[in-house]
Amino acid sequence: TLTSMVSEIKESVDQNLETEIKRPVTSDALEDWHHNIRLKEGINVKKTTTDYNRINDFIAFAGDQPVNKYKFDQFQKYAIMLAAVPSNYNKKPDLRDMSLEEVSDYNQNLSDNERLETLSAKTIETNYLSPLRVFFKDMGNQYEFTSPVVDNKFRLPTFTKGTVDRKPFTVEELNKWFAVSAKANQPDMKWMPLLSAFTGARVGELVTLQRKDIYKVKIGGWVIDLTTDIIDADGAAKVRKVKNTSSRRIIALPDFIIETGFIDYVKTIPRDSNLFPGCFYHGKTRIKDPAGAVSKRLNKQLKNAGIHSNIETTFHSTRHTAKDLMRTAKIDERTHDKQTGHSNKTVSRNYGAKNLLDEEIKVLRALPVPEGLDLSPYLSGK
């Protein structure tokens, strides 16, 4: 009968509802993910905190819904809104307490000649949208739904500030820089330019180095080891904070860096001590953000050398320099991705050893000195 059919359908629906996965609201899921997963990955705390804040920004914009209820359209509208957000709004007293949506509306309502400089397309993608992709991918895997942002590309309005690409340093620029850096009194200001330009190491990775992290391998040659724990002042081991999982790696030092006297300096430092202790203090005051402070000092050094250009040529340009030098030397792409800590984007390249093999260390050791590069400022100071 019709009544029995309706009863059977209702019973079936009730059973499905009972077995449906209970999905939390996004703010609760974020707290659990941030504290119980993200903070335990060994990623730099500054990075994880920033990602946490950016995901909260999206929740404030789109509402605190169950993690599986957002539609792609909400993320797309969020991206469009971000395109009008001033790049330094949080430094302006009259704007810093506004929500992103409010400050975006405020900026759009200004006249053309009053409008504030906005976030770039690259900043929007890297700092705001990328954390959402990671979070909702994890949520989709955990709570069995398809994330609407994993494989979809956001479209930004035509007025979005274009990206300014970092430029690698030319040999001529490196010569000007090394003439200044080689004379620096502080070890970090002296050695970091050389190390980063030829290995692609990040400022944050160099700041946390300890004497034990640099050693000679059995096959010959020296390496920097970012896979080990940090030893604190009390002798206790602490997880090394890195940008991402690809950053936890072995870095091979080219032989010509050894010739500059860098290893002679390393040998003067006690085994578990910081290689660059000056990064952590200003006088007797402990610096809260050593990597940020050192980055500012290095960019000031670049200005003193006459080769600093806002955004285009900063200390981070050394990573581009190192990649170009390794490509010019015909070093395999996967090998120099391992060296610089870039992730493998394809399934095939993700197979195999994650750290450098002995043969790859040999290849990177033999990286030639670029034609025209003048290392005499370092060599004369040995």
Side-chain angles (χ1 to χ4, degrees):
T1 65
L2 181 60
T3 302
S4 62
M5 289 177 62
V6 171
S7 179
E8 288 177 4
I9 292 172
K10 182 178 183 301
E11 184 179 351
S12 176
V13 170
D14 288 343
Q15 288 176 349
N16 287 334
L17 288 174
E18 287 176 4
T19 57
E20 183 179 355
I21 296 173
K22 291 183 179 180
R23 292 157 175 134
V25 293
T26 306
S27 60
D28 289 344
L30 175 60
E31 291 299 321
D32 179 62
W33 179 79
H34 177 67
H35 292 288
N36 296 320
I37 297 176
R38 196 68 165 157
L39 289 179
K40 296 180 179 179
E41 291 184 84
I43 298 172
N44 185 283
V45 174
K46 184 178 179 181
K47 164 70 174 166
T48 56
T49 301
T50 299
D51 288 354
Y52 171 83
N53 291 334
R54 296 295 77 83
I55 296 168
N56 267 321
D57 287 338
F58 173 75
I59 295 172
F61 173 82
D64 194 7
Q65 304 176 39
V67 288
N68 64 317
K69 294 300 183 182
Y70 296 104
K71 306 299 182 186
F72 177 75
D73 179 64
Q74 291 172 284
F75 294 97
Q76 177 61 68
K77 289 178 179 176
Y78 180 62
I80 291 173
M81 178 275 292
L82 289 171
V85 171
S87 57
N88 61 346
Y89 78 93
N90 56 348
K91 296 182 180 179
K92 294 183 175 295
D94 53 337
L95 301 180
R96 64 166 64 117
D97 293 328
M98 292 185 182
S99 69
L100 286 177
E101 189 171 12
E102 289 170 340
V103 78
S104 177
D105 289 341
Y106 168 84
N107 201 28
Q108 289 185 81
N109 288 327
L110 294 175
S111 62
D112 290 345
N113 60 348
E114 293 178 317
R115 193 159 296 147
L116 302 170
E117 185 177 352
T118 56
L119 300 173
S120 70
K122 185 173 183 179
T123 297
I124 291 170
E125 173 57 40
T126 303
N127 295 355
Y128 290 83
L129 302 181
S130 179
L132 290 174
R133 294 185 196 279
V134 175
F135 172 69
F136 279 99
K137 181 180 180 181
D138 281 1
M139 293 302 99
N141 291 337
Q142 183 173 350
Y143 295 108
E144 299 183 16
F145 68 92
T146 302
S147 167
V149 292
V150 172
D151 296 319
N152 287 319
K153 184 176 181 180
F154 297 101
R155 299 180 299 281
L156 296 175
T158 55
F159 65 79
T160 307
K161 177 183 172 184
T163 59
V164 179
D165 291 331
R166 292 271 198 267
K167 294 181 179 178
F169 292 107
T170 64
V171 168
E172 291 75 16
E173 288 172 331
L174 289 177
N175 286 340
K176 291 180 180 179
W177 189 9
F178 293 164
V180 174
S181 62
K183 297 176 183 177
N185 293 322
Q186 284 188 232
D188 47 315
M189 294 296 101
K190 178 175 182 177
W191 297 113
M192 283 188 182
L194 195 68
L195 293 172
S196 192
F198 300 114
T199 69
R202 300 177 178 92
V203 170
E205 295 166 347
L206 296 174
V207 164
T208 59
L209 285 181
Q210 297 185 315
R211 165 65 181 89
K212 67 177 180 57
D213 300 327
I214 300 174
Y215 53 84
K216 193 171 187 177
V217 292
K218 291 180 180 179
I219 59 169
W222 291 76
V223 299
I224 294 174
D225 190 342
L226 299 181
T227 68
T228 61
D229 288 337
I230 296 294
I231 306 301
D232 67 17
D234 297 324
K238 294 172 58 178
V239 175
R240 184 188 301 270
K241 302 297 183 182
V242 292
K243 184 175 181 181
N244 49 47
T245 53
S246 301
S247 303
R248 199 173 300 281
R249 66 195 190 279
I250 301 293
I251 300 173
L253 292 177
D255 282 346
F256 64 79
I257 288 183
I258 313 305
E259 296 169 7
T260 64
F262 171 65
I263 296 301
D264 294 333
Y265 165 72
V266 171
K267 291 177 179 178
T268 67
I269 306 297
R271 183 183 183 279
D272 292 336
S273 296
N274 292 317
L275 196 65
F276 302 119
C279 297
F280 298 90
Y281 290 91
H282 181 70
K284 294 184 178 181
T285 305
R286 180 84 180 184
I287 296 173
K288 292 183 178 179
D289 180 16
V294 173
S295 182
K296 289 178 181 177
R297 294 206 302 266
L298 286 164
N299 282 320
K300 184 177 180 181
Q301 188 183 71
L302 285 171
K303 291 178 181 178
N304 292 338
I307 60 173
H308 181 274
S309 173
N310 190 33
I311 299 179
E312 291 182 337
T313 46
T314 65
F315 186 79
H316 191 76
S317 297
T318 53
R319 282 176 63 76
H320 295 263
T321 304
K323 294 293 279 191
D324 270 0
L325 291 174
M326 286 184 276
R327 289 190 183 105
T328 301
K330 308 299 182 186
I331 293 174
D332 178 74
E333 194 83 9
R334 189 171 186 272
T335 297
H336 62 73
D337 277 350
K338 288 185 187 181
Q339 175 84 332
T340 56
H342 285 115
S343 60
N344 295 310
K345 298 297 184 182
T346 65
V347 173
S348 175
R349 282 179 53 186
N350 201 39
Y351 273 68
K354 300 300 185 288
N355 281 318
L356 293 172
L357 300 171
D358 287 352
E359 289 303 316
E360 292 174 312
I361 292 175
K362 289 179 181 178
V363 168
L364 290 163
R365 277 187 60 194
L367 183 73
V369 177
E371 185 176 353
L373 183 70
D374 182 12
L375 287 176
S376 62
Y378 280 96
L379 299 174
S380 62
K382 287 182 63 177

